[in-house]
């Protein structure tokens, strides 16, 4: 079986930077049973498989896999796939801005692709659904243990600790400094405990102590449960 694929670097303008992504622009002939195995073989954070849309008014159906499982939605695979398809001519560009709709597990995802000098260079998505929130979240003490930080380094006065999803639930954790952000080391055993009790498997840690004056946040994301 021969199928075409592309590897992309998302969220960067430099090769071998950003976030890796593998894109299969025509996955119709790939057996279902191989999708997860192919993703594990790449071992990128995500791989996408592109199909014709169920609704002819939409652009494509896109399935997103991590090495551990299929996801109903993810941001970097969505924008990366859009730019990749536009770059290879699978999505015709209609001037400096082209609007498309991907069908994903979470629903219809609108994406805007922008072009510069005749080449696609930027994509921006709109979430397919409003955020969902879980009522129960772990205590700050438990989260600090999970991140190998002290309780005092978590600052939940301005931004509360919240579990939020627009397709996949992430626990959002505010901390004081980017120095603490760099020191984070996941306590996997503690994370497994939180996963069993609260369903917490993916953690998005952020601080307002950003490096650049025009940046509002510095963040790290941890998702070992996704493989």
């Amino acid at each position: 079986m021969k199928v075409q694929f592309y590897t992309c670097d998302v969220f960067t303008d430099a090769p071998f930077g950003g976030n890796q992504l593998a894109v299969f622009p025509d996955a119709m002939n790939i057996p279902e049973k191989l999708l997860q195995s192919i993703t594990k073989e790449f071992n990128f954070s995500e791989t996408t498989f592109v199909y014709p849309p169920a609704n002819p008014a939409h652009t494509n159906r896109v399935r997103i896999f991590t090495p551990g499982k299929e996801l109903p939605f993810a941001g970097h695979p969505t924008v990366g796939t859009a730019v990749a398809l536009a770059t290879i001519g699978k999505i015709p560009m209609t001037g400096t801005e082209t609007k498309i709709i991907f069908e994903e597990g979470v629903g219809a995802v609108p994406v805007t692709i922008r072009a510069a000098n005749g080449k696609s260079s930027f994509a921006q998505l709109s979430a397919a659904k409003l955020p969902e929130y879980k009522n129960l979240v772990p205590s700050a003490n438990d989260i600090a243990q999970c991140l190998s930080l002290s309780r005092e380094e978590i600052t939940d006065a301005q931004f509360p600790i919240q579990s939020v999803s627009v397709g996949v639930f992430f626990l959002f954790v505010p901390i004081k400094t980017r120095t603490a952000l760099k020191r984070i080391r996941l306590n996997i055993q503690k994370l497994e405990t939180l996963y069993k009790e609260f369903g917490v498997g993916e953690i998005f840690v952020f601080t307002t102590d950003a490096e650049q004056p025009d940046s509002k946040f510095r963040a790290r994301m941890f998702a070992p449960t996704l493989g």
Side-chain angles (χ1 to χ4, degrees), residues 146-147 170-171 173 191 200-205 220-222:
C146 184
L147 301 176
F170 280 83
L171 183 69
V173 179
L191 181 63
V200 172
E202 293 76 50
I203 304 178
F204 192 95
V205 189
R220 295 179 69 186
M221 187 272 282
F222 304 88

Side-chain angles (χ1 to χ4, degrees), residues 117-160:
N117 300 319
K119 296 181 179 180
S120 57
S121 59
F122 175 90
Q124 180 176 337
L125 64 85
S126 299
K129 57 188 291 187
L130 293 174
E132 298 178 69
Y133 299 85
K134 285 185 179 179
N135 293 326
L136 295 177
V137 297
S139 70
N141 284 326
D142 283 338
I143 294 170
Q145 291 179 38
C146 184
L147 301 176
S148 302
L149 297 176
S150 68
R151 167 62 182 91
E152 290 71 27
E153 289 174 302
I154 295 177
T155 172
D156 49 359
Q158 181 181 4
F159 300 102

Side-chain angles (χ1 to χ4, degrees), residues 4 25-26 59-60 84-92:
Q4 190 176 43
D26 183 0
T59 310
N60 291 103
L85 295 180
T87 299
I88 65 175
K90 291 283 188 178
I91 295 177

Side-chain angles (χ1 to χ4, degrees), residues 164-175:
V164 188
S165 169
V166 289
V168 178
F169 271 99
F170 280 83
L171 183 69
F172 284 78
V173 179
I175 64 174

Side-chain angles (χ1 to χ4, degrees), residues 15-89:
F16 310 116
N19 200 348
Q20 296 165 312
L21 175 70
V23 179
F24 287 78
D26 183 0
M28 285 294 291
N29 295 322
I30 302 176
E32 174 76 19
K33 64 181 181 181
L34 294 183
L35 299 180
Q36 190 67 71
S37 297
I38 290 170
T39 304
K40 287 182 180 179
E41 181 76 9
F42 276 99
N43 202 34
F44 292 172
S45 55
E46 282 106 348
T47 294
T48 60
F49 300 90
V50 182
Y51 302 85
N55 182 341
H58 297 161
T59 310
N60 291 103
R61 181 166 70 98
V62 179
R63 296 179 66 182
I64 301 169
F65 283 77
T66 75
K69 62 183 179 181
E70 184 173 8
L71 297 181
F73 170 76
H76 116 269
T78 298
V79 297
T81 299
V83 171
L85 295 180
T87 299
I88 65 175

